[in-house]
Amino acid sequence: MSDVLAFAGVTVTRGGKEILSEVDWEIEEGQRWVVLGPNGAGKSTLLQLAAARLHPTRGVAGVLGEVLGTVDVFELRPRIGLASASLADHVPGDEIVADVVVTASYGVVGRWRERYDRLDLARAHELLEALGVSHLADRRYGTLSEGERKRVQIARALMTDPELMLLDEPAAGLDLGGREDLVARLGALAEDLEAPALVLVTHHVEEIPPGFTDVLLLKDGEVVAAGPIEITLTEDNLRRTFGLDVILDRHGDRFTARAGTRD
Ligand SMILES: Nc1ncnc2c1ncn2[C@@H]1O[C@H](COP(=O)(O)OP(=O)(O)OP(=O)(O)O)[C@@H](O)[C@H]1O
Ligand SMILES: [Mg+2]
C-alpha cells in the first residue's frame, strides 16, 4: 500500500447518486498532486475522504497507512492538514489570527499542549512569517481580506506538522497579485523536501505551482486520467475533463489554458 494515500475502487453515494465512482488513486511520499475538474466533479468530496472526514460507501480508502473505517479518525486527522473554504467558515470572526493558527495544535496530544504553549506560539508565528502575514498576527480574523485569510488558513493547516497537506481551491477569490504570491509560496513548499505530501484542488491550470509533480483529472465523479504532469496534463485530457476544446500552453514551469483548437 502507498505510504500516503491508497484508494481502490472508492465510491461515494449521496442521495442515491454516485458522486465518486470507483476511484483508484495512489500518492507516494514526496509527491505533490493537483486535482483538476469542473464544478461538481467531486473534488471536494475526494479531499474530504483524504482528510478522514468522510468514509467511502464502497471500496478501500487507505490514508497514511491506515484504512478508513478500521482506524480512530481522531488519531488520524491531526496527521493531515486541510485548508478549505468550508472549514474556514467555522473560524469565529473575532478570533485573533495567531490563535487561529495555534489552536490547530490543540487536541492533538493534550499532554504536550499545556507544556509547550510558548513553543506552539513561536511555531505559529514562524508559519505566519513563511506565508507573509506575520504582521497580521494580532488582528482579528474577521477583519482580514480574502487573500490574507487564505494564507492564515494554510499556516493553520501546517501547524500540526502534517504528513499530508490538502488545499481546496486556495487561490479562489484572490486578485492577480495575491494569486501569484500564493502560487510562489506553494511552489516553495513543493520544493521543500521537509514539506508534507501535497494535494491542491483547483479549476485552473494557471494555479498549478512550480514543483508540483502529478495531476488527477476528475469529471462526474470519475477519474479521467492520473499521473505525472508531463504526460497527463494534455489538451486531450483537459478536453475530456472540461468538455470543451482547450489550447494548453506551457511557459517554463507554469501553464495557461484557453478554449479553442490549434490550426
Ligand atoms: N451531502 C450531499 N448530498 C447530495 N449531493 C451532494 C452532497 N455533497 C455533495 N453533493 C454533490 O456531489 C457533487 C460533487 O460535489 P463536490 O463538492 O465534491 O464537487 P467539487 O468538484 O468540489 O465542485 P466545485 O468545483 O464546485 O467545488 C455535486 O454535484 C454536489 O452537488
Ligand atoms: Mg469543491
Side-chain angles (χ1 to χ4, degrees):
M1 188 193 275
S2 285
D3 294 338
V4 178
L5 202 100
F7 284 6
V10 165
T11 298
V12 173
T13 308
R14 286 271 175 83
K17 186 187 160 223
E18 272 192 12
I19 55 182
L20 286 176
S21 305
E22 300 286 333
V23 172
D24 297 325
W25 188 23
E26 299 213 343
I27 301 182
E28 309 280 352
E29 229 174 274
Q31 291 183 337
R32 284 83 176 84
W33 280 79
V34 178
V35 176
L36 272 175
N39 290 126
K43 304 180 298 297
S44 294
T45 307
L46 195 63
L47 277 204
Q48 291 297 309
L49 285 164
R53 281 166 171 80
L54 179 72
H55 287 186
T57 313
R58 288 199 316 276
V60 178
V63 180
L64 297 174
E66 310 285 352
V67 174
L68 297 185
T70 69
V71 61
D72 180 354
V73 291
F74 292 99
E75 282 186 19
L76 192 53
R77 282 182 195 162
R79 298 170 60 197
I80 304 160
L82 173 65
S84 72
S86 57
L87 267 190
D89 288 346
H90 291 113
V91 176
D94 61 356
E95 197 162 321
I96 301 297
V97 166
D99 292 337
V100 172
V101 178
V102 87
T103 52
S105 66
Y106 288 16
V108 174
V109 184
R111 177 168 51 77
W112 63 254
R113 190 201 125 193
E114 295 293 321
R115 231 171 113 198
Y116 292 105
D117 252 1
R118 276 173 53 211
L119 281 184
D120 274 0
L121 212 53
R123 174 165 172 77
H125 278 278
E126 239 171 62
L127 289 168
L128 288 168
E129 177 86 45
L131 272 304
V133 282
S134 57
H135 60 292
L136 302 172
D138 299 326
R139 283 263 297 275
R140 288 186 192 284
Y141 181 75
T143 68
L144 304 187
S145 79
E146 196 62 38
E148 292 165 345
R149 282 182 205 192
K150 298 276 185 199
R151 293 194 243 170
V152 171
Q153 288 159 27
I154 294 169
R156 178 181 160 86
L158 285 167
M159 182 66 199
T160 58
D161 199 10
E163 293 154 69
L164 171 61
M165 172 82 171
L166 309 167
L167 300 149
D168 198 349
E169 293 187 46
L174 301 193
D175 67 19
L176 182 60
R179 181 192 83 185
E180 287 300 294
D181 181 83
L182 187 70
V183 166
R185 285 178 201 281
L186 294 176
L189 197 61
E191 255 127 51
D192 180 353
L193 296 177
E194 302 279 295
L198 299 170
V199 180
L200 166 73
V201 168
T202 178
H203 296 118
H204 304 293
V205 299
E206 287 78 0
E207 293 173 4
I208 300 177
F212 272 61
T213 57
D214 294 84
V215 63
L216 181 142
L217 296 149
L218 198 64
K219 183 191 187 182
D220 294 336
E222 293 184 17
V223 176
V224 174
I229 286 182
E230 282 71 26
I231 54 171
T232 312
L233 190 66
T234 62
E235 289 178 347
D236 193 41
N237 281 338
L238 287 175
R239 181 180 51 74
R240 288 163 63 206
T241 305
F242 289 94
L244 78 167
D245 289 324
V246 171
I247 296 174
L248 172 73
D249 287 305
R250 188 175 183 146
H251 315 267
D253 49 16
R254 299 288 300 281
F255 298 91
T256 57
R258 61 199 158 94
T261 51
R262 299 203 179 262
D263 54 62

